[in-house]
Amino acid sequence: TETRSDRIYIHMINSVLPRIKNADMIGFVFDVNEHLQWMDEGGQSLTADIDYYQRIMDRSNASEKIGIATKSDLLKSEFEEERFTSPRSAPDEFRKYVNDRLLNGPYRGPIQSLQLTLHPTYLETETNGDAQRPVMPLQTFGMSQILKEVGD
């Protein structure tokens, strides 16, 4: 009997991998939340396998690559406290800040190996009364920069 995992694996082989191989650009996504958890745990749980990322690039015909740092809003308060400005007021400075932070953790190897500059992204949302579930995205941060990088 075919399991859900089997179906996902088959889908990856038949659909996703050919798209990666034939892509003009590859996007590598790094989760800021995972980085922060790794830092909280003293660097014990998360390690980013450089070979994994390099194998993706080696098997692709992509001539360009882009790095994306999701959930970068988790660094927003810290940035604002240290720099006395907001990511919206100083997006280049925030990009550098996020890159510096992620280069001091488990993603250092892949970021350096692939020579990526990460583009911080996040959604600004409101939450319902229990402060757990976002009601709706209000604004995005960093998405327009990624679209400029990717092109029309």
Side-chain angles (χ1 to χ4, degrees):
T1 310
E2 190 177 88
T3 66
R4 182 175 188 275
S5 292
D6 292 337
R7 287 190 302 275
I8 291 170
Y9 180 75
I10 291 167
H11 173 72
M12 291 287 292
I13 297 297
N14 293 332
S15 180
V16 176
L17 291 178
R19 290 180 184 172
I20 291 172
K21 182 171 178 52
N22 296 320
D24 296 326
M25 178 183 278
I26 301 260
F28 292 93
V29 179
F30 298 90
D31 186 332
V32 170
N33 187 49
E34 286 186 8
H35 167 80
L36 293 174
Q37 287 176 353
W38 180 86
M39 298 298 285
D40 286 345
E41 295 170 5
Q44 300 302 314
S45 64
L46 178 68
T47 57
D49 183 2
I50 297 170
D51 292 337
Y52 171 78
Y53 291 90
Q54 196 58 54
R55 282 193 310 268
I56 292 171
M57 273 311 291
D58 291 347
R59 287 175 171 79
S60 170
N61 296 323
S63 57
E64 298 181 69
K65 55 194 174 281
I66 186 169
I68 302 164
T70 63
K71 303 176 193 167
S72 293
D73 56 317
L74 296 172
L75 296 173
K76 182 180 170 189
S77 295
E78 186 178 294
F79 172 78
E80 291 171 340
E81 287 174 18
E82 288 180 22
R83 307 295 167 91
F84 304 105
T85 188
S86 73
R88 289 204 184 277
S89 299
D92 292 337
E93 192 174 337
F94 186 61
R95 182 181 310 114
K96 182 179 179 345
Y97 184 83
V98 169
N99 276 270
D100 290 347
R101 286 294 306 270
L102 269 66
L103 278 170
N104 291 311
Y107 298 133
R108 178 186 186 115
I111 293 168
Q112 286 183 327
S113 172
L114 296 169
Q115 300 175 337
L116 294 173
T117 297
L118 300 178
H119 297 278
T121 62
Y122 60 85
L123 296 175
E124 292 179 339
T125 59
E126 285 184 6
T127 55
N128 61 12
D130 66 9
Q132 296 296 317
R133 303 180 71 140
V135 175
M136 59 176 264
L138 296 176
Q139 293 184 10
T140 61
F141 178 88
M143 307 304 180
S144 58
Q145 180 62 34
I146 290 171
L147 290 174
K148 286 179 192 173
E149 292 284 327
V150 171
D152 300 342

